[in-house]
Amino acid sequence: MRINAFEGARRIALILAALVPIVVLIVTGKNDPYISIDYRVSSPNSPFVKSDEPCPTGAGRHYFSTKTPNGRTVGIDLCLLTMAFGKDSEQLVPYKIDQAGMVWGAASYSNEVDGYERELERRFAFPGSDAQWADNEISNRYRKNWLQSLGYLAVGLTAFWILVWCIGWVVRGFAGIPSGKDSRQSDA
């Protein structure tokens, strides 16, 4: 019984060429794009304002995830702006306005501000058309991920087949096997 190494190598190459696209498609399909949107809050009664600027030093920060009306997960990076309190103008996060209209403030890592952050998280709703923008952005990133993955897959498979062809060409040359054949031709 004679073993045909070229036929075995072709089968291994075909199995790899079939498995890699399956893995790429599964990984790409399970990889949901993630976006994070920055919002600012200046006082307990103020609305959530979308911002492109970094959160100032000393301000409170709170991260949480929420869903758009279409069910897509979006990260929210909430910046809790500070204001001056007391004679020393100490910068504190305003976390409560009492019935007399007095504003209460505390340090960003205090228990009071932690409770205020949880309250803000509960009452968060996308202002204006931000939810629609987030859904569109996630769709665009999802599409971009698919196109990028398919592009890498095409380049990878092309490079793999060029490598397989080159190895076959070199091995055939050293073994004296004509192109398109799996063994030497007999001289008889």
Side-chain angles (χ1 to χ4, degrees):
M1 179 172 170
R2 219 168 137 186
I3 295 177
N4 186 341
F6 288 102
E7 184 61 29
R10 272 194 295 275
R11 289 176 187 226
I12 290 170
L14 284 171
I15 288 170
L16 287 174
L19 287 178
V20 168
I22 291 169
V23 170
V24 168
L25 294 175
I26 289 171
V27 169
T28 303
K30 288 185 174 268
N31 185 12
D32 289 334
Y34 179 80
I35 66 168
S36 179
I37 306 174
D38 297 335
Y39 285 97
R40 290 179 176 222
V41 175
S42 57
S43 71
N45 295 337
S46 68
F48 297 95
V49 178
K50 189 174 174 184
S51 175
D52 292 330
E53 298 176 17
C55 195
T57 305
R61 296 185 77 142
H62 182 60
Y63 305 97
F64 63 96
S65 293
T66 189
K67 293 207 180 271
T68 66
N70 289 345
R72 295 201 164 133
T73 302
V74 176
I76 303 298
D77 184 0
L78 194 57
C79 179
L80 309 172
L81 298 175
T82 59
M83 62 188 307
F85 281 88
K87 293 178 185 173
D88 298 335
S89 296
E90 186 178 4
Q91 294 294 314
L92 301 174
V93 174
Y95 70 90
K96 177 173 112 175
I97 299 177
D98 64 16
Q99 293 176 344
M102 181 185 226
V103 179
W104 294 65
S108 21
Y109 296 105
S110 66
N111 290 335
E112 293 87 357
V113 172
D114 285 345
Y116 174 55
E117 290 172 348
R118 286 190 296 277
E119 175 194 329
L120 288 173
E121 188 175 332
R122 278 191 302 275
R123 74 175 174 102
F124 180 83
F126 284 104
S129 61
D130 289 355
Q132 183 179 3
W133 176 87
D135 279 328
N136 289 340
E137 182 66 19
I138 290 171
S139 293
N140 289 339
R141 289 185 186 188
Y142 195 70
R143 190 176 314 107
K144 182 180 175 185
N145 285 353
W146 272 102
L147 291 174
Q148 190 175 31
S149 293
L150 293 175
Y152 288 146
L153 179 62
V155 169
L157 286 176
T158 301
F160 176 70
W161 280 113
I162 289 171
L163 177 68
V164 168
W165 181 85
C166 288
I167 290 171
W169 180 71
V170 169
V171 171
R172 285 178 199 281
F174 280 114
I177 300 171
S179 182
K181 304 290 181 187
D182 287 343
S183 59
R184 284 190 224 170
Q185 300 298 314
S186 63
D187 292 335

